[in-house]
Amino acid sequence: MANSAPVVTIGNHSLLYNQWQKMQPWLTYADSDGNPAQKFQFWDGGSAANSAYFWTSTNDHWAANTTIEVAASDLSDVWVRAGAVGGTETLWVRAFDGTDWGNWTSFTLTTIPNTVPVVTVPDVQLHTNTWTQAKNWLTYSDANGDAATKYQFWDSGTSATSAYFWTSTNDHWPANTTIEVAAADLADVWIKGGSTTGAETFWVRAFDGTDWSNWDSFTLTSVNTPPVVTAGDHSIHIDQWVTVDNWLTKTDANGDAITKYQFWDSGTAATSAYFWTPDNSHWAANTTIDVSAADLANVWIHGGSTTGSETMWVRGFDGTEWSNWDTFTVTSTPNTVPVATINDQALHVNQWVKPQGWLTATDAEGDTITKYQFWDAGAGATSAYFWTPDNSHWAANTTIDVSASDLANVWIKGGSTTGSETMWVRAFDGTAWSNWDSFTLTSTNTAPTATINDHTLNAAQWAQLVNWTTASDADGDAITQYQLWDGGGAATSAYFWTPDNSHWASSTVIDVSASGLANVWVRGGTTAGTDSMFVRAFDGTSWSTWDSFTVTSLANHAPDASISNQTLHVNEWSQVGNLVSYADADANPATAYQFWDGGGNADSGYFWTSANSHWAASTVIDVNAADLDDVWMRGGATTGTETMYVRAYDGIDWSAWHAFTLSTIV
């Protein structure tokens, strides 16, 4: 059976200039035998240089009137590109089914011509010397949807003060120069407003990759609102100095900083107020005074030397324009001196206080007190004095200058002894000093009180004085010292004891530090009787009055010592200390003992001590109480009995002799 050739159909199509299109979606393939296409051929009849053309992966621009053969499997790699300009041309396509080629099918491709883009900028205003990006003002459109690829700008303002373009490649483009910028760099195009006010014409156009738009002109007006500087009318004292900066109000609608000021003084009298700056201590009237904003704080006005008024002027410059002149009246008025007072005051000796709390300062005109002076007339070494951070003890009869801001750092210390002295204070209001105000400062102290109640002691009893003593001070001062006095002159009377004197003589002043009071003791008299004693305390400034107290010494009770009757074997020894019974109604310990042996036979019992191994009969044997254990008694060499004696001493009195019987047995 004969083969039926395949058929390819394609409609006519239109593309925008330079637009790309795959051929495959436009083709329809048919074969009555059902054979698939094996390959395709294309033919381009447009031979103009700017006509449409075919593209394949093997040739990116097929020449016209050339058979282009493509395997069916590569059909998706066949593209057609519209012409670069508007127009029509005929193209052909046919298919091969493996046996026969189909007939050529022609179709018309129409290239739609490019529509130029449109770029516009409206007329705009820009503050003098202000920067803005050109893109913020620019509107771009393209009927074909083409993106801009580049822009051109033009500036017709040739004045040195006119606005201008800036790019990253030129920070000040001259006027009447074509400035070309890639669309990708549009954000790097800036316009700076002119340094003075005025208008000029700028141009812009855009390129869409094919055509430039028309030039669009726009007017750029550099604008500025002048600042406003005002000063209210003011009154100042005769010869008073004030800084003018505090009087000025400055505003600028554009937010521009004031860069300089001008002042003018119309007062021509020799006694009128005037301006002062660091470079001219007395500006003449009717002279323009130029001052940079940075130096405004250094502009002063000096009040006239007599009363009167005059007109002054001020204006400010914002870097572009001057404000209008503003007039203000300066009136020189008499100054009323301030008043500073301190009432008479009392301080505790050595007390610190800030005189700020005592001081009252007023000014009839409401002038601020700027400094103070103090004076101390007390020349005594122990008198009160002033203290400031730069002098810890101001000498008397010295003027002490203190700024008002440092007043809280001024102190007065009360005298180290009681007494009164005159001090002075005065204040300065920036123009004149007040009169000196005198005040009396009295350094005071309340003497302490020390008391001891009457006490009773047993004969020779010891007592710690600190337990009897009460001391107080109304000012809260610590007691630093005590003095004691003993009025009892008898040899047996009570007395004071301290670590450095075991028996203070009567009628002697005894000095004791407060910390040493616990080491002071009183001993009761050795006979019954009373003694007057005295105490007083010192608070570091004053002594209290003497306080008298009575120490009553009770009569001594003699002790009692006894040994019960004893029995010993012949020549047997017995330690006497174990045999003695001692008692004392006053609880006084025994200090000594005495023994007596009444047996006179040679073979009778006897006493032994470490000092004598055989005490003779009828001999007083003295023994310290501490040595009682060294006393022994020996039984006789033969049997028999004898009488012995013992008595004890309590430091004041001896007990009665106590007799006991010693029996010697076999």
Side-chain angles (χ1 to χ4, degrees), residues 301-590:
I301 293 178
H302 182 264
S305 57
T306 60
T307 60
S309 297
E310 60 198 282
T311 302
M312 294 184 170
W313 282 265
V314 63
R315 67 175 181 170
F317 186 68
D318 66 357
T320 302
E321 295 180 89
W322 285 99
S323 69
N324 293 324
W325 283 101
D326 181 67
T327 65
F328 59 100
T329 300
V330 175
T331 302
S332 299
T333 63
N335 182 52
T336 302
V337 298
V339 176
T341 57
I342 293 180
N343 294 328
D344 295 339
Q345 303 289 334
L347 275 184
H348 184 51
V349 290
N350 295 317
Q351 180 184 354
W352 289 98
V353 72
K354 291 183 181 183
Q356 182 182 32
W358 298 344
L359 178 62
T360 300
T362 59
D363 189 277
E365 286 127 10
D367 296 334
T368 300
I369 304 301
T370 60
K371 57 184 175 179
Y372 294 88
Q373 286 183 340
F374 295 91
W375 182 280
D376 173 18
T382 61
S383 67
Y385 59 86
F386 286 99
W387 178 101
T388 63
D390 56 338
N391 191 327
S392 60
H393 189 148
W394 280 93
N397 301 319
T398 303
T399 300
I400 306 167
D401 281 291
V402 178
S403 69
S405 60
D406 290 332
L407 183 60
N409 295 323
V410 180
W411 293 76
I412 295 177
K413 185 181 185 184
S416 57
T417 60
T418 58
S420 296
E421 60 197 282
T422 302
M423 293 183 168
W424 280 268
V425 64
R426 67 175 180 170
F428 187 67
D429 66 358
T431 302
W433 284 99
S434 69
N435 294 323
W436 282 103
D437 180 66
S438 66
F439 62 98
T440 299
L441 179 66
T442 303
S443 300
T444 64
N445 184 64
T446 303
T449 301
T451 58
I452 296 179
N453 294 328
D454 297 337
H455 286 275
T456 299
L457 291 176
N458 291 325
Q461 181 184 353
W462 290 99
Q464 201 172 10
L465 192 68
V466 71
N467 297 325
W468 293 356
T469 306
T470 300
S472 62
D473 189 277
D475 303 318
D477 298 332
I479 304 302
T480 61
Q481 193 173 355
Y482 292 89
Q483 285 184 341
L484 307 170
W485 179 280
D486 175 11
T492 58
S493 66
Y495 61 86
F496 288 106
W497 179 99
T498 64
D500 55 339
N501 191 327
S502 61
H503 189 148
W504 280 92
S506 61
S507 302
T508 303
V509 176
I510 306 169
D511 283 291
V512 179
S513 68
S515 60
L517 186 62
N519 296 323
V520 180
W521 294 76
V522 178
R523 186 176 191 252
T526 56
T527 60
T530 59
D531 292 281
S532 291
M533 292 185 167
F534 301 84
V535 64
R536 68 174 181 170
F538 187 64
D539 64 359
T541 302
S542 305
W543 284 100
S544 68
T545 56
W546 284 103
D547 181 67
S548 65
F549 61 99
T550 300
V551 175
T552 300
S553 300
L554 300 176
N556 186 58
H557 297 86
D560 179 62
S562 63
I563 296 177
S564 61
N565 294 330
Q566 300 292 318
T567 299
L568 291 176
H569 294 290
V570 173
N571 295 324
E572 182 184 359
W573 291 97
S574 178
Q575 195 174 21
V576 174
N578 297 326
L579 306 176
V580 176
S581 295
Y582 175 84
D584 188 279
D586 303 318
N588 293 326

Side-chain angles (χ1 to χ4, degrees), residues 6 18 49 85 93 107 110-111 143 172 298 314 318 320 331 418 523 605 616:
N18 293 327
V85 297
V93 62
F107 63 97
T110 301
T111 298
H172 189 149
N298 295 322
V314 63
D318 66 357
T320 302
T331 302
T418 58
R523 186 176 191 252

Side-chain angles (χ1 to χ4, degrees), residues 245 258-261 278 291-299:
D245 187 18
I258 307 297
T259 60
K260 58 183 176 179
Y261 295 87
V291 178
S292 71
D295 291 332
L296 183 60
N298 295 322
V299 180

Side-chain angles (χ1 to χ4, degrees), residues 117 119 138 140-142 145-151 182-184 186 206-209:
V119 63
L138 186 148
Y140 172 85
S141 64
D142 187 279
D146 296 330
T149 61
K150 55 186 174 179
Y151 292 88
L186 182 61
F207 187 67
D208 65 357

Side-chain angles (χ1 to χ4, degrees), residues 206-268:
F207 187 67
D208 65 357
T210 301
D211 295 299
W212 284 98
S213 69
N214 295 321
W215 283 101
D216 182 67
S217 67
F218 62 96
T219 300
L220 174 64
T221 304
S222 298
V223 298
N224 182 66
T225 303
V228 177
V229 177
T230 59
D233 296 336
H234 286 276
S235 294
I236 60 177
H237 299 315
I238 291 173
D239 293 324
Q240 181 183 357
W241 289 99
V242 294
T243 53
V244 73
D245 187 18
N246 297 326
W247 292 356
L248 301 185
T249 300
K250 318 108 177 176
T251 60
D252 189 279
N254 306 129
D256 297 332
I258 307 297
T259 60
K260 58 183 176 179
Y261 295 87
Q262 286 182 340
F263 296 92
W264 182 281
D265 172 17
S266 68
T268 57

Side-chain angles (χ1 to χ4, degrees), residues 23-95:
M23 290 300 299
Q24 187 176 34
W26 286 356
L27 301 183
T28 301
Y29 173 83
D31 187 282
S32 59
D33 302 320
N35 295 323
Q38 298 297 311
K39 51 187 176 179
F40 291 87
Q41 286 181 342
F42 296 91
W43 183 279
D44 174 14
S47 58
N50 52 16
S51 66
Y53 60 88
F54 285 106
W55 178 99
T56 66
S57 58
T58 60
N59 190 331
D60 57 7
H61 189 146
W62 282 92
N65 301 315
T66 302
T67 301
I68 305 165
E69 190 166 305
V70 179
S73 59
D74 292 331
L75 182 60
S76 61
D77 290 335
V78 180
W79 292 74
V80 65
R81 184 182 184 189
V85 297
T88 61
E89 57 194 289
T90 303
L91 304 176
W92 283 267
V93 62
R94 67 176 180 171

Side-chain angles (χ1 to χ4, degrees), residues 135-185:
K135 72 171 187 175
N136 295 332
W137 295 340
L138 186 148
T139 301
Y140 172 85
S141 64
D142 187 279
N144 306 128
D146 296 330
T149 61
K150 55 186 174 179
Y151 292 88
Q152 286 181 343
F153 296 92
W154 184 280
D155 170 18
S156 68
T158 57
S159 170
T161 61
S162 67
Y164 60 87
F165 285 103
W166 178 101
T167 66
S168 57
T169 60
N170 190 330
D171 57 8
H172 189 149
W173 282 92
N176 300 321
T177 302
T178 300
I179 306 165
E180 190 163 307
V181 179
D185 295 330

